[in-house]
Structures are given as C-alpha cells and as structure tokens.
C-alpha cells in the first residue's frame, strides 16, 4: 500500500509550495531476530547493541508516510537521497523501547532543484537528518581529471539489493527491479544508499565510539552488480568504483 500510494503520487495535481508541519511518532520495541538479520546483511557482529544506522529503518514507514501525504510538495518517487547525518549520544540496545518522531524541515534551493531534510529523533538520544533532492534541472558536466584509484583496505562485490530491501522495508523498484531502474534512467538496479553507508560503518565497527556523529554524502549510484573499493583514514572513509575510482560515497566520523 505504501508503494501504491507513492506511485499514485506521480499523477499530476496541484501541490503546496511548503513542507508539511506535521510530526509523526510511534513507540518501537526492537525485535532481536530482525536486528540480527540487519547485522548479518550489513556486515556487523551479532550483538544486542544497535548499529548507529539501524534506527533509520525502524523509522522508514513514518518517513514514507510523511512523503506520501497530500500536502507534501513533491512526489516521493524520483527523490534522491544525497546526504545523511547521524548523531548518537550513546549506544542504543535491543532492550530500549524507542520513541521515534519524524518531521520535515528546511526546504531550500539546490543547483539542480530543491532539497529538504527529514529529521528523525528518538527520546533516547539519537537523531538523523536525511537530505533529499528533487531534481528539476540538468547537471552541468564538468571535466574530470583521471586519477589512479587509491589502494583500498577492502574490496566488496555488491551483487543484489533484495536482502537489504527485506530487512529495511525499502522495496523501491529502482533498487530491486531492472524495469524499475530503467524507468529512472539506470541500466540496472542500484544499491540502497543507506546499505552502502551501513556496510562502511560495519567495517569500522570496532573503531566506532559509542558517542559519535556520522556525516555521509552520497555521490554516484552503485549499479548492481558492482565491485567497490572501501578505504578509511583516521576519521574519514570512502567507497569508490574499484576500476575507475569514481566516488560512490564519502563519510566522516567525529566523537
């Protein structure tokens, strides 16, 4: 029903110029089996502690509910997730009963259209700001200098996205269907941005402090299947194409 509503949002109709002021909330008790499956898919150790990106998928239904409202200014289909910021005051655990609240804010200009934030918070000291872009303008092509890909710390092959779709609830056809991807100009399905982010953080898990801030910028999509190169240096990390060195994401961690 969620994706049917999203698809119906493509039907042309008058839309407001501003973001809705509504806030949506719910109380969630973490399911340990679901948590373990997320940890397995994203490369974490099995634990009762929540990976810092895990609350994002617990709030996914609320986020979609906001973006498919009649008073939302854009169709949710076609929005591009371009950045993500997570602030965690302390590690959350499966024993925590999470009170989650979601709202939208900060509609603003972007060189390629309009961008806005979806802010997700818990009463337990965790917050996420997900930045989305509504593209209305063509990007200007800039000349790129060819550079040797950096020596990676790990090489990962991403073959499919259905495992993450099942555990996250995000079954957007752009990630799971060749036809769905082609409708939006991609020759093959693309990996979920939040999966590539979680995979990087999973690789860094032993190094992560309990109190942290993670900032990630999503660059070029990962066309599946793909061979990628992961690299980290101090508090920064990148995921690039293994052959060309073109960036898929860049991130920074601060305590």
């Amino acid at each position: 029903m969620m994706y049917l509503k999203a698809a119906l949002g493509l039907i042309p109709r008058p839309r407001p110029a501003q973001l809705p002021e509504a806030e949506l909330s719910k109380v969630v008790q973490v399911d340990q089996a679901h948590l373990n499956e997320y940890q397995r898919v994203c490369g974490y150790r099995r634990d009762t502690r929540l990976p810092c990106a895990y609350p994002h998928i617990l709030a996914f239904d609320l986020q979609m509910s906001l973006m498919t409202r009649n008073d939302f200014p854009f169709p949710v289909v076609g929005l591009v997730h371009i950045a993500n910021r997570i602030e965690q005051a302390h590690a959350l655990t499966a024993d925590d009963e999470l009170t989650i609240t979601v709202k939208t804010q900060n509609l603003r200009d972007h060189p390629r259209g309009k961008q806005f934030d979806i802010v997700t918070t818990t009463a337990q000291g965790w917050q996420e700001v997900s930045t989305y872009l509504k593209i209305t303008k063509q990007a200007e092509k800039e000349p790129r200098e060819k550079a040797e890909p950096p020596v990676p710390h790990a090489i990962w092959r991403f073959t499919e996205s259905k495992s993450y779709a099942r555990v996250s609830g995000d079954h957007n056809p752009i990630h799971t269907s060749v036809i769905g991807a082609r409708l939006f100009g991609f020759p093959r399905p693309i990996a979920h941005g939040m999966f590539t982010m979680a995979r990087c953080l999973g690789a860094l898990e032993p190094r992560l402090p309990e109190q942290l801030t993670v900032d990630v910028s999503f660059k070029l999509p990962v066309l599946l299947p793909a061979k990628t190169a992961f690299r980290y240096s101090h508090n920064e990390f990148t995921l690039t194409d293994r052959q060309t060195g073109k960036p898929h994401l860049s991130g920074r961690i601060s305590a």
Side-chain angles (χ1 to χ4, degrees):
M1 289 300 297
M2 181 166 56
Y3 284 99
L4 175 60
K5 192 173 182 181
L8 292 174
L10 290 172
I11 299 173
R13 61 177 175 81
R15 287 182 175 270
Q18 302 298 322
L19 295 169
E21 297 182 359
E23 292 186 2
L24 303 181
S25 299
K26 68 176 181 177
V27 177
V28 178
Q29 183 65 59
V30 175
D31 179 87
Q32 184 67 53
H34 182 264
L35 171 61
N36 291 156
E37 180 63 7
Y38 177 91
Q39 291 166 332
R40 183 192 68 79
V41 169
C42 298
Y44 288 84
R45 297 171 298 178
R46 186 167 178 167
D47 199 348
T48 59
R49 290 183 301 176
L50 309 188
C52 66
Y54 182 73
H56 171 87
I57 66 174
L58 299 180
F60 180 69
D61 61 333
L62 294 183
Q63 295 169 355
M64 284 294 291
S65 293
L66 267 182
M67 290 191 288
T68 54
R69 288 168 58 102
N70 289 333
D71 59 350
F72 196 75
F74 313 114
V76 66
V77 176
L79 292 177
V80 182
H81 192 181
I82 60 173
N84 209 81
R85 179 183 178 91
I86 292 174
E87 297 178 73
Q88 178 175 279
H90 58 84
L92 304 177
T93 75
D95 295 328
D96 292 323
E97 186 178 71
L98 303 179
T99 302
I100 299 175
T101 301
V102 172
K103 64 181 179 180
T104 59
Q105 66 178 30
N106 199 15
L107 180 63
R108 58 205 186 273
D109 290 331
H110 182 279
R112 295 194 63 192
K114 291 287 187 178
Q115 61 184 330
F116 64 92
D117 298 326
I118 293 190
V119 181
T120 305
T121 59
T122 76
Q124 292 74 25
W126 180 96
Q127 175 174 289
E128 174 191 64
V129 179
S130 294
T131 302
Y132 288 86
L133 169 65
K134 171 60 178 177
I135 297 175
T136 60
K137 307 173 186 176
Q138 292 293 327
E140 295 183 7
K141 291 187 177 181
E142 299 180 359
R144 296 191 179 190
E145 295 183 5
K146 290 187 177 180
E148 286 295 320
V151 177
H153 290 96
I155 297 173
W156 299 331
R157 183 170 175 80
F158 295 100
T159 58
E160 53 84 27
S161 60
K162 292 183 180 179
S163 296
Y164 185 80
R166 284 192 295 268
V167 77
S168 68
D170 184 354
H171 296 276
N172 187 333
I174 200 171
H175 302 302
T176 60
S177 164
V178 173
I179 295 175
R182 287 177 177 171
L183 286 174
F184 288 92
F186 298 103
R188 306 190 301 276
I190 63 175
H192 297 74
M194 288 301 294
F195 171 56
T196 59
M197 174 180 172
R199 186 68 180 86
C200 292
L201 294 175
L204 296 172
E205 183 182 18
R207 302 168 177 264
L208 298 180
E210 289 198 0
Q211 181 177 354
L212 55 71
T213 299
V214 181
D215 285 288
V216 166
S217 295
F218 299 110
K219 310 291 187 179
L220 298 174
V222 177
L223 294 171
L224 300 171
K227 187 178 286 187
T228 63
F230 169 71
R231 182 174 174 82
Y232 63 88
S233 176
H234 302 295
N235 60 340
E236 297 183 348
F237 59 93
T238 60
L239 188 70
T240 59
D241 182 274
R242 177 69 181 99
Q243 299 299 322
T244 66
K246 291 181 178 179
H248 294 307
L249 67 76
S250 62
R252 183 180 181 87
I253 299 167
S254 55

